[in-house]
Amino acid sequence: GQWLEYSVPGREAHCEACIFSESQYQDQVSHQSNTCKLHSVCSLSERQTQAPTLHRDRACQQVRCPAGSKLVLSTRAFVDAFCEPCTAGIDFQSLDSHIDTTCAPVAICNSTEGEVAAPTRSTDRVCAPLYCSAGTKLVYAGDDHGATCEGCEADTFRPDNGHQQTQCARVTDCSRSFTHETAAPTSRSDRSCSIDHASLWLAVTGTVAALGLLGWVGQTTPVRRLLSRCTSKDGKVQDGDIPPQDHPNDDNRDNQVQ
């Protein structure tokens, strides 16, 4: 902790203490050195393991970080470097006892991939192609986790397995005329419909009968009379074109004569 100051005229040689405030020290014993040594300064990636004194130097050690963290360098003198954890779900560091100053960004699954393993501070996210089962559809929310399989909505279905379809199909509508439901739909199967033959037969025969009745009515004398009428210019109905034998008053006249 001292240095030797040589004698000068009028003074004997003597030892003087090193100046600690000026980072001086002397670790030799029984020496004749006329200077003090300067304390070492730890580098930006080191930390102090032994404090300096007048009798010894500062001891420094390289900072090595464990997996899941990164090295943060010292920003000013006498401040140690240190390890800072990576941000979970954002970045990771798989190396152990390293001096890397950054963490790597985690992988992002795309619109047809699913997350097989979630990321940690020391492991990356694992993505793989995603295939959905029957009754579900592929849904991509747009986040880093990729796609998921979600169930079909009401009145929709998806019958195939191992697919990457993003839509479910609409179930068949049995509300049309002459059809009825024979099997209810599920998320995996369509509704089954069948023609109601009895109702269809009644409708067809009824239509045919109605058409036949109209044809017969059209041939009757009253209808022929109605169709034979004509309209005058002033809008009044004239029956001059009705054959005499078909005049509506002929029957009454005959009864009066008799």
Side-chain angles (χ1 to χ4, degrees):
Q2 296 178 332
W3 60 283
L4 177 64
E5 182 179 5
Y6 293 104
S7 62
V8 294
R11 292 187 59 184
E12 295 180 353
H14 62 279
C15 296
E16 289 191 1
C18 298
I19 303 174
F20 183 77
S21 62
E22 296 181 5
S23 299
Q24 297 178 356
Y25 78 100
Q26 181 54 259
D27 56 356
Q28 297 183 40
V29 179
S30 298
H31 68 86
Q32 290 186 325
S33 175
N34 64 346
T35 59
C36 291
K37 301 177 182 179
L38 293 177
H39 290 134
S40 301
V41 178
C42 297
S43 71
L44 298 181
S45 62
E46 293 179 329
R47 64 167 162 251
Q48 178 179 281
T49 58
Q50 176 179 275
T53 67
L54 288 173
H55 308 283
R56 66 186 182 190
D57 193 9
R58 173 184 286 107
C60 301
Q61 183 182 53
Q62 173 67 57
V63 177
R64 291 190 171 273
C65 298
S69 63
K70 63 183 178 180
L71 177 64
V72 178
L73 301 177
S74 173
T75 57
R76 63 182 185 272
F78 311 120
V79 175
D80 293 341
F82 62 96
C83 296
E84 183 178 76
C86 299
T87 305
I90 303 298
D91 49 25
F92 73 102
Q93 178 56 258
S94 59
L95 298 176
D96 195 18
S97 187
H98 69 87
I99 57 174
D100 285 355
T101 57
T102 59
C103 297
V106 300
I108 298 175
C109 301
N110 63 35
S111 61
T112 60
E113 293 179 329
E115 184 181 81
V116 177
T120 67
R121 288 188 174 93
S122 59
T123 60
D124 194 6
R125 174 183 285 114
V126 178
C127 304
L130 180 64
Y131 298 95
C132 297
S133 59
T136 63
K137 63 180 180 179
L138 192 69
V139 177
Y140 178 55
D143 56 21
D144 298 347
H145 302 278
T148 57
C149 294
E150 295 184 5
C152 294
E153 300 89 348
D155 296 326
T156 63
F157 73 101
R158 187 86 246 167
D160 43 342
N161 282 301
H163 69 84
Q164 289 187 316
Q165 300 300 317
T166 58
Q167 297 292 332
C168 295
R170 299 289 299 179
V171 299
T172 300
D173 183 7
C174 289
S175 63
R176 296 174 299 174
S177 301
F178 315 120
T179 60
H180 65 278
E181 181 181 276
T182 56
T186 69
S187 63
R188 301 185 176 202
S189 61
D190 193 9
R191 173 184 286 116
S192 295
C193 302
S194 178
I195 297 177
D196 189 341
H197 295 283
S199 298
L200 180 61
W201 174 252
L202 290 175
V204 171
T205 55
T207 301
V208 171
L211 292 174
L213 178 62
L214 289 175
W216 176 79
V217 170
Q219 297 300 319
T220 60
T221 298
V223 174
R224 289 177 59 241
R225 288 176 180 173
L226 181 61
L227 295 176
S228 66
R229 291 173 181 269
C230 61
T231 304
S232 64
K233 294 181 179 180
D234 58 1
K236 296 181 179 180
V237 177
Q238 295 180 348
D239 51 9
D241 293 336
I242 300 177
Q245 67 273 17
D246 292 336
H247 196 282
N249 296 325
D250 285 350
D251 293 340
N252 295 332
R253 290 174 183 173
D254 292 340
N255 293 335
Q256 293 176 0
V257 171
Q258 293 176 355

